[in-house]
Amino acid sequence: MRDEGASEREAGLRAELAAAGRAFGARGWVPATSGNLSARLGPDVAIITASGRDKGALGEGDFLAIDLDGAPLGAPEERASAEAPLHGALYRRFADVRAVLHVHSPAATTISLVAGSGEVTLRGYEMQKALAGVTTHEHAEVIPVLPNEQDTVRLSTLVGERLDHHPDAHAYLLAGHGLYTWGWSVAEARRHVEALEFLFDCELRRLALRGDGR
Ligand SMILES: [Zn+2]
């Protein structure tokens, strides 16, 4: 029997993700069909943007169901984003995460390349309080930066190993590639993208004004 509640919930998540994609597109954060957006449907199932779609012009039909290995669960001709394993690994790692959002914005891409130490540390910004659980600008938010890698299954293992050392991280960066962040709802993950983009932009300006890269 068809579960009306579940299909209504899925339709709601598709609408929320599509709206987030359009907002990110308007800001120039998902150019040239880059980026991908997903939400958890159940313990072992998520929906994710289909490969090759313009994430700034998403409709509710531009998503497909995947398992947590990133494999499509529907028609065989449907192609999930190549980065679906990275989404699945985060749902596996954090049982209560409900959404994973990934953007290729200029600020995230640039700061990932200037972070020589393998991480970006943000401190002193009021905006950090937009990250779940952070209550003060005095918090040091450490965002791991990993080398980019085309084998996304292998990369998801490397990400897991880094996150073992950063259990409180809200996000990670792939060098020269972009930002991954997550949340306990689509709205929270979207707030994390918006806050981190603001913070990366401020941090890049601060580094440029100092001129010494510290
Ligand atoms: Zn990407």
Side-chain angles (χ1 to χ4, degrees), residues 34-36 83 102-104 174 177-178 180:
S34 67
N36 29 72
E83 294 183 48
H102 168 54
V103 296
H104 287 207
L174 297 175
H177 178 161
Y180 269 86

Side-chain angles (χ1 to χ4, degrees), residues 21-99:
R22 292 192 297 267
F24 296 165
R27 306 283 294 270
W29 296 345
V30 286
T33 77
S34 67
N36 29 72
L37 318 176
S38 71
R40 188 195 288 276
L41 283 187
D44 304 314
V45 185
I47 50 168
I48 190 166
T49 38
S51 181
R53 305 295 161 87
D54 179 351
K55 312 309 183 302
L58 288 174
E60 291 172 29
D62 291 326
F63 299 89
L64 59 124
I66 55 168
D67 66 19
L68 299 193
D69 292 325
L73 295 171
E77 68 275 12
E78 285 188 324
R79 275 206 313 134
S81 159
E83 294 183 48
L86 294 168
H87 290 247
L90 288 168
Y91 291 118
R92 241 191 244 291
R93 181 177 196 84
F94 302 115
D96 45 2
V97 157
R98 293 277 180 270

